[in-house]
């Protein structure tokens, strides 16, 4: 199992293929296996890197408070360890926000962005300002077994194959780790810094993604070099629901971005 120690965290990672590097970052409570169908496809053309964010999968979580900025610092540390000067960053949900914040705070490391189902704030409107604190509190009383069932059911309506992966991954996560991580994830904020993103950016979201759909037009309008695409027959597990359409859009974006260098 390839691991490296970054910021007192044992980070699990996998690399495959050769060429320009593209780093895939998974969503909250999931792991690197979320990207299996992307790795099968893109490792034919690029160097692909997947990793488990701290507290997820095979990566450790140190004692103490989890800070949102620690996620992007881990990603930068991993890139330095792998001697990757810059890369295309692709992420879904939490992973998208980590990638976005990396582009904001460490632009020299980012060739381009692919943001899939990515929230950039937890205070977009009154709905989120009310719901997110309630969600943060209610998570203290929901066992991981129930969270796993809810996620697996909700996010496997378009692709039944999602159900086993989501259920097993969420259920295997430590309850205490999940609460600590979600407290940090739900406080990630980039709304006032979107104008700092100066790389080519592809924004993808599922046509049935009720979780983040309302933020996507604003995200597109406030990132200068961005393109917005809607993925058909997909919910929040967008790359799992419709991997073919996601891969096609990402590949075209990578070709276009590489042509700019």
């Amino acid at each position: 199992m390839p691991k490296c120690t970054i910021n007192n965290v044992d980070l699990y990672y996998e690399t495959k293929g050769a060429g320009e590097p593209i780093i895939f970052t998974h969503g909250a409570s999931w792991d690197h296996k979320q990207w299996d169908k992307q790795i099968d496809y893109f490792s034919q053309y690029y160097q692909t890197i997947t990793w488990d964010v701290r507290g997820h999968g095979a990566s450790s979580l140190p004692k103490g408070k989890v800070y949102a900025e620690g996620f992007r610092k881990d990603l930068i540390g991993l890139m330095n360890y792998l001697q990757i000067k810059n890369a295309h960053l692709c992420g879904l949900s939490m992973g998208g926000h980590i990638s976005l914040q990396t582009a904001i705070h460490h632009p020299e490391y980012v060739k381009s962005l692919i943001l899939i189902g990515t929230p950039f704030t937890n205070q977009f409107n009154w709905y989120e300002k009310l719901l997110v604190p309630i969600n943060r509190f209610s998570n203290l009383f929901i066992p991981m077994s129930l969270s796993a069932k809810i996620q697996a059911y909700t996010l496997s309506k378009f692709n039944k194959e999602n159900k086993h992966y989501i259920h097993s991954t969420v259920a295997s996560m430590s309850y205490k780790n999940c609460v600590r991580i979600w407290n940090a994830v739900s406080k990630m904020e980039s709304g006032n810094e979107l104008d700092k993103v100066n790389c080519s950016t592809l924004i993808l979201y599922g046509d049935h993604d009720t979780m983040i759909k309302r933020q996507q037009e604003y995200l597109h309008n406030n990132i200068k070099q961005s393109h917005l695409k809607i993925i058909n027959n997909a919910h929040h597990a967008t790359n799992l629901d419709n991997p073919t359409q996601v891969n096609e859009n990402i590949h075209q974006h990578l070709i276009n971005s590489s042509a700019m260098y």
Side-chain angles (χ1 to χ4, degrees):
M1 295 177 66
K3 286 187 177 182
C4 60
T5 302
I6 305 293
N7 303 322
N8 297 317
V9 180
D10 294 329
L11 288 181
Y12 178 84
Y13 68 92
E14 292 185 1
T15 64
K16 189 176 181 181
E20 285 187 65
I22 174 171
I23 303 176
F24 296 88
T25 305
H26 61 80
S29 72
W30 297 359
D31 65 7
H32 70 281
K33 294 179 182 178
Q34 174 196 330
W35 303 106
D36 281 355
K37 291 187 178 179
Q38 280 66 52
I39 302 309
D40 288 344
Y41 179 84
F42 287 103
S43 61
Q44 302 173 77
Y45 314 100
Y46 299 90
Q47 179 191 14
T48 60
I49 300 98
T50 54
W51 63 300
D52 290 340
V53 175
R54 58 168 62 201
H56 296 76
S59 291
S60 66
L61 185 66
K63 294 180 180 179
K65 186 174 181 179
V66 180
Y67 293 94
E69 59 268 24
F71 301 132
R72 59 178 166 82
K73 290 181 179 179
D74 289 346
L75 177 53
I76 292 298
L78 177 61
M79 292 179 69
N80 288 337
Y81 175 82
L82 295 174
Q83 298 182 342
I84 296 174
K85 292 183 178 180
N86 52 38
H88 303 282
L89 302 185
C90 177
L92 181 139
S93 196
M94 173 193 75
H97 204 162
I98 292 171
S99 301
L100 174 62
Q101 291 199 334
T102 303
I104 289 170
H105 297 282
H106 308 277
E108 68 278 12
Y109 281 84
V110 184
K111 282 188 174 182
S112 78
L113 281 176
I114 302 103
L115 306 177
I116 309 176
T118 296
F120 62 88
T121 178
N122 292 289
Q123 301 185 48
F124 187 64
N125 54 25
W126 68 267
Y127 175 81
E128 288 176 346
K129 291 178 181 178
L130 176 65
L131 184 65
V132 171
I134 293 174
N135 174 265
R136 196 181 295 136
F137 179 73
S138 65
N139 278 346
L140 297 173
F141 307 99
I142 301 177
M144 293 307 296
S145 58
L146 179 57
S147 293
K149 288 181 180 179
I150 293 171
Q151 274 203 48
Y153 172 77
T154 303
L155 300 180
S156 62
K157 293 179 180 179
F158 292 96
N159 186 350
K160 298 302 180 184
E161 293 180 6
N162 297 351
K163 194 169 186 178
H164 174 72
Y165 166 70
I166 294 174
H167 184 273
S168 61
T169 306
V170 176
S172 67
M173 192 174 186
S174 159
Y175 167 77
K176 290 183 179 180
N177 283 2
C178 185
V179 171
R180 292 168 62 204
I181 290 167
W182 186 246
N183 282 341
V185 171
S186 61
K187 294 175 183 176
M188 294 176 73
E189 293 293 333
S190 302
N192 295 325
E193 299 180 295
L194 296 178
D195 61 341
K196 294 181 180 179
V197 178
N198 52 24
C199 62
S200 178
T201 301
L202 174 64
I203 301 168
L204 302 177
Y205 72 93
D207 57 353
H208 288 79
D209 189 350
T210 54
M211 297 174 67
I212 52 81
K213 191 174 184 178
R214 60 192 172 277
Q215 294 192 22
Q216 302 308 289
E217 285 287 349
Y218 187 95
L219 187 64
H220 168 49
N221 291 333
N222 287 272
I223 294 180
K224 295 182 286 290
Q225 300 180 56
S226 67
H227 301 275
L228 179 64
K229 301 287 185 179
I230 300 173
I231 302 301
N232 299 323
N233 301 316
H235 200 304
H236 195 53
T238 315
N239 73 299
L240 297 172
D241 284 336
N242 194 340
T244 299
Q245 193 176 356
V246 166
N247 290 352
E248 289 173 352
N249 278 277
I250 292 176
H251 201 174
Q252 188 59 55
H253 163 79
L254 294 174
I255 292 171
N256 294 341
S257 298
S258 297
M260 296 171 62
Y261 282 86

